Amino acid sequence: MAAAAEGAAGSGGRSPSSARRRLRIISGHLRGSPRAPEQAALSPSPCKAQEGSAEPACGSIPKKRQELLKWNGWGYNDSKFIFNKKGQAEFTGKRYRLGGMILPTFKEWIEKTFGASLEHKTTSRASLNINDVPPSIVNEEFLQDLRATKISYSQDAEDRVFRAHGHCLHEIFVLREGMFKRIPDIVVWPVCHEDVVKIVELACKHNLCIIPFGGGTSVSSALECPEEEKRTIVSLDTSQMNRILWIDEKNLTACVEAGIVGQDLEKQLAESGFCTGHEPDSMEFSSLGGWVATRASGMKKNIYGNIEDLVIHIKMVTPRGIVEKNCQVPRMSTGPDIHHFIMGSEGILGVVTEVTIKIRPVPEYQKYGSVVFPNFERGVACLREVAKQRCAPASIRLVDNAQFQFGHALKPQVASIFTSFLDGLKKFYITKFKGFDPNILCVATLLFEGDREKVLHHEKQVYDIATKFGGLAAGEDNGQRGYMLTFVIAYLRDLGLDYYVIGESFETSVPWDRVLDLCRNVKERIVRECKEKGVQFAPLSTCRVTQTYDAGACVYFYFAFNYRGISDPIHVYEQIERAAREEILANGGSLSHHHGVGKLRKRWMKESISDVGLGMLRSVKEYVDPNNIFGNKNLL
């Protein structure tokens, strides 16, 4: 244990003497002499936090998350779907374009789809009961050492509960109905890399358990505390490590602290005319470190790439020391890439503190679009051809008919009679004149970005391909609305829970030749399992193709059902989800495309990466963290 702490205090694979030697060489070049005297050499400077001057950037999410975010649901306190006094659905708040708008057909859709009724409403706790929260158990000697570092910490019940969970259905259900049996005992807020080193040193010294916390958007049970953990559990909240440390305009890279959330990263880069283009659906709240830890993917990956394509350099603190490469170059041939030990490690090896990522100039032109296809099969064939010709726009997503109907139910009330007339005309043209069956057709939404001339050429190329598969251009407005819904759709689960409807999403990646079979078989399996498990009303079982590759695609499923009459709805839901995952694997799909494994899906890890592969991962864990300081029990 002492050796591990000692290693963390150093610089991992790089000794202080080698760092000083390199600085002397650089100093010599700067002075014009290859043999600069040692006293004139450059010297490393300490983290400003050690001098008391490091201040986190002013981020969108406050340190006290409860000031802005829901304690038992998704997103901002002031943003939610409700049924107003007239029984109409609307979305509150002013943060989103849908805010304040009436959704005239949503009530009818939810009643028809789930058999739900506004007369049957559940009761959940209105506020957190502090008396239900497990007490904080922290070693006094550790507290004394922690105070000496001047690192901010809290043992407040609300702070601890906010960091005890992610956003899996069962986690939110527990918050609404009861309380977790085990939560963090203390929350710490480092403000720089050196603070993290100190925290890991103390954890090694006092034999504590650390669970890193970024944006809290996990949907794999990754943040849940193991109930059997007897040691003090420290939630290491990286949110105050949220600065862009530097931007290199020549190499188009930026070094960023890992706690920054997606919306702040893009805002700060935009001030200098740059962007990353990495936009997962959770980008408002998820963090850069979280993206690295889960191997995240964004909706615009066709242009900008997934997180593994964006990362140039990673710095991570482990109990054994600091892991990082000695240079920031586009590619290295130095054995297996250590970044790929870190990416997807889900907090079991250490804490990612700094990441150097690729950046690009903010695109000068952006254009939305949409295409309606006569059926899902034609739509998938079109996406396959677009991928084959390597002309995919920044984002192209295909929704099946059930999800199309779902999106249509979220369409706001039209203020203009003329607009209503045009909508009716489009519907007539597509369904009557062109003969598309409204109960079978599906829609693809498109987003193009870049140089205006190239975007327009690109747009024509994609629409020409779509025409060959029977696709009809359906306008920019439908495309833009589809992407706008991306950021509000997660709020719907909270409304559903108020009316006995539970729902969840899950994803996979699959080869092109198995996309259709997998989508059909998984949806049918969900319906069959619901019936067998005593669900009285037919479930919603729907999917969309969200990311495309040369050799396959990512498929994203939604499923939900009315749980009235079921005594243990979460147990039933988990049985159904497990069956759906078994079906995915049986049909050649992956365990996860971008959500990660966590504790929720780790039962299938051996099947996914082989017994030997799992053993390799265990060996890395045992070497880097022999005392299981990072004991969240994800993956293994």
Side-chain angles (χ1 to χ4, degrees):
M1 193 186 309
E6 187 178 332
S11 55
R14 280 199 272 171
S15 68
S17 60
S18 69
R20 283 194 292 269
R21 185 173 67 252
R22 290 177 186 178
L23 285 170
R24 283 200 298 273
I25 293 170
I26 294 169
S27 176
H29 289 306
L30 293 175
R31 297 182 69 255
S33 166
R35 295 180 181 274
E38 188 167 343
Q39 60 266 29
L42 297 171
S43 60
S45 57
C47 167
K48 290 182 179 178
Q50 295 173 336
E51 302 164 5
S53 60
E55 289 292 335
C58 184
S60 299
I61 310 300
K63 186 175 176 180
K64 294 286 187 178
R65 299 171 69 85
Q66 54 269 37
E67 295 172 2
L68 188 67
L69 306 180
K70 295 187 185 77
W71 72 277
N72 64 349
W74 177 263
Y76 299 106
N77 284 320
D78 58 5
S79 303
K80 57 185 172 182
F81 286 95
I82 62 166
F83 287 110
N84 61 27
K85 292 178 180 178
K86 295 180 180 180
Q88 299 171 310
E90 65 175 280
F91 191 72
T92 65
K94 298 179 180 179
R95 298 178 187 275
Y96 303 92
R97 289 183 58 195
L98 199 62
M101 294 186 178
I102 302 295
L103 312 172
T105 63
F106 186 72
K107 176 175 175 285
E108 180 185 353
W109 177 84
I110 198 171
E111 289 175 340
K112 180 181 177 182
T113 304
F114 298 107
S117 170
L118 300 195
E119 296 176 4
H120 298 114
K121 191 171 182 181
T122 62
T123 55
S124 65
R125 297 185 305 165
S127 60
L128 177 64
N129 185 346
I130 303 300
N131 295 326
D132 292 339
V133 178
S136 169
I137 303 171
V138 180
N139 181 292
E140 186 57 37
E141 291 181 2
F142 163 66
L143 278 181
Q144 289 177 3
D145 286 348
L146 182 62
R147 291 186 194 110
T149 67
K150 298 183 179 178
I151 295 169
S152 179
Y153 72 91
S154 171
Q155 293 173 267
D156 176 78
E158 274 193 299
D159 289 333
R160 292 161 53 226
V161 169
F162 257 84
R163 290 155 185 84
H165 64 89
H167 281 274
C168 290
L169 171 64
H170 70 269
E171 292 172 310
I172 300 304
F173 204 88
V174 166
L175 287 171
R176 290 169 63 97
E177 305 290 334
M179 179 48 62
F180 300 104
K181 294 179 181 177
R182 190 75 169 92
I183 70 170
D185 296 296
I186 187 169
V187 180
V188 294
W189 287 279
V191 298
C192 68
H193 167 81
E194 281 74 13
D195 279 358
V196 175
V197 171
K198 293 174 185 176
I199 293 166
V200 174
E201 284 179 345
L202 292 181
C204 291
K205 177 182 176 181
H206 296 282
N207 190 26
L208 313 178
C209 173
I210 295 177
I211 298 182
F213 183 94
T217 58
S218 164
V219 285
S220 64
S221 302
L223 290 170
E224 280 191 84
C225 298
E227 290 181 15
E228 66 276 15
E229 180 59 73
K230 303 301 183 186
R231 298 174 296 177
T232 294
I233 297 179
V234 179
S235 175
L236 193 154
D237 186 328
T238 61
S239 63
Q240 303 308 293
M241 297 167 56
N242 61 357
R243 298 168 298 170
I244 295 177
L245 300 177
W246 49 257
I247 293 175
D248 183 338
E249 297 188 7
K250 288 186 178 180
N251 292 310
L252 287 179
T253 56
C255 183
V256 188
E257 291 180 315
I260 196 169
V261 296
Q263 61 172 317
D264 290 339
L265 176 58
E266 294 303 316
K267 284 176 192 173
Q268 290 185 42
L269 284 174
E271 292 172 3
S272 300
F274 298 103
C275 68
T276 67
H278 186 75
E279 295 185 10
D281 292 359
S282 62
M283 70 169 291
E284 295 170 283
F285 310 109
S286 58
S287 69
L288 173 58
W291 301 343
V292 170
T294 56
R295 290 181 63 88
S297 179
M299 67 177 83
K300 298 194 293 188
K301 76 95 197 159
N302 293 333
I303 288 181
Y304 302 99
N306 292 317
I307 194 66
E308 65 269 22
D309 305 307
L310 288 166
V311 166
I312 296 293
H313 186 264
I314 302 171
K315 184 183 285 189
M316 183 171 79
V317 180
T318 78
R320 182 72 71 170
I322 297 164
V323 183
E324 62 178 326
K325 296 180 181 179
N326 73 328
C327 55
Q328 304 205 10
V329 293
R331 190 175 188 274
M332 296 170 69
S333 179
T334 50
D337 191 339
I338 61 166
H339 284 168
H340 290 283
F341 289 116
I342 298 170
M343 288 189 284
S345 59
E346 300 191 12
I348 69 169
L349 302 179
V351 184
V352 175
T353 57
E354 296 173 11
V355 184
T356 302
I357 49 174
K358 299 175 188 176
I359 57 175
R360 299 228 191 151
V362 173
E364 68 172 67
Y365 190 66
Q366 189 179 72
K367 191 172 184 182
Y368 293 93
S370 61
V371 180
V372 59
F373 293 97
N375 54 51
F376 192 64
E377 290 77 10
R378 294 276 193 95
V380 170
C382 175
L383 265 62
R384 173 67 187 111
E385 185 61 26
V386 168
K388 191 184 292 183
Q389 295 193 27
R390 294 195 170 182
C391 62
S395 177
I396 179 169
R397 301 194 293 192
L398 178 75
V399 301
D400 68 4
N401 184 262
Q403 204 161 134
F404 164 72
Q405 303 285 357
F406 177 29
H408 189 71
L410 291 169
K411 195 168 186 177
Q413 187 171 314
V414 177
S416 164
I417 295 176
F418 179 68
T419 303
S420 180
F421 171 73
L422 283 179
D423 286 343
L425 200 61
K426 288 177 188 174
K427 184 176 179 182
F428 175 82
Y429 175 75
I430 290 171
T431 59
K432 303 297 182 184
F433 188 72
K434 284 293 185 179
F436 284 27
D437 185 337
N439 296 311
I440 297 177
L441 64 80
C442 69
V443 175
T445 54
L446 313 170
L447 173 59
F448 301 88
E449 282 189 359
D451 172 84
R452 187 177 188 278
E453 188 176 332
K454 289 180 180 178
V455 163
L456 295 178
H457 173 74
H458 197 183
E459 180 186 39
K460 182 180 183 303
Q461 189 178 7
V462 172
Y463 280 115
D464 285 347
I465 293 172
T467 301
K468 294 177 182 178
F469 293 91
L472 296 173
E476 288 185 56
D477 288 346
N478 285 324
Q480 188 171 19
R481 197 170 65 84
Y483 286 100
M484 177 266 290
L485 288 176
T486 294
F487 298 109
V488 301
I489 209 162
Y491 287 92
L492 272 171
R493 185 172 66 185
D494 298 332
L495 177 70
L497 285 169
D498 287 341
Y499 295 94
Y500 289 95
V501 175
I502 56 177
E504 187 63 285
S505 62
F506 53 93
E507 39 66 67
T508 186
S509 48
V510 61
W512 280 114
D513 64 344
R514 298 185 182 183
V515 168
L516 291 174
D517 285 344
L518 182 141
C519 290
R520 181 185 63 252
N521 292 342
V522 171
K523 290 192 290 185
E524 288 178 356
R525 180 72 179 271
I526 288 170
V527 172
R528 191 164 66 248
E529 290 287 333
C530 282
K531 191 173 183 180
E532 291 175 2
K533 299 294 185 297
V535 176
Q536 297 177 22
F537 305 90
L540 173 70
S541 180
T542 175
C543 71
R544 67 175 187 252
V545 179
T546 60
Q547 280 112 324
T548 61
Y549 299 86
D550 291 346
C554 169
V555 179
Y556 207 96
F557 292 91
Y558 287 119
F559 92 90
F561 60 85
N562 185 333
Y563 69 87
R564 280 181 61 211
I566 298 175
S567 60
D568 190 349
I570 295 301
H571 177 65
V572 170
Y573 158 76
E574 288 174 344
Q575 287 181 308
I576 296 168
E577 186 193 41
R578 195 173 303 152
R581 182 60 59 184
E582 294 280 6
E583 191 70 35
I584 284 172
L585 295 173
N587 281 269
S590 68
L591 185 55
S592 176
H593 171 264
H594 60 269
H595 280 173
V597 175
K599 291 178 274 293
L600 189 64
R601 289 176 275 273
K602 71 177 184 177
R603 74 178 69 221
W604 294 286
M605 275 293 282
K606 183 190 291 188
E607 179 182 346
S608 296
I609 65 172
S610 81
D611 195 21
V612 174
L614 195 60
M616 292 169 67
L617 186 56
R618 282 200 183 98
S619 295
V620 173
K621 166 70 173 174
E622 287 167 7
Y623 174 76
V624 170
D625 186 14
N627 295 308
N628 196 31
I629 298 301
F630 289 89
N632 59 24
K633 294 204 169 180
N634 294 336
L635 294 174
L636 300 174

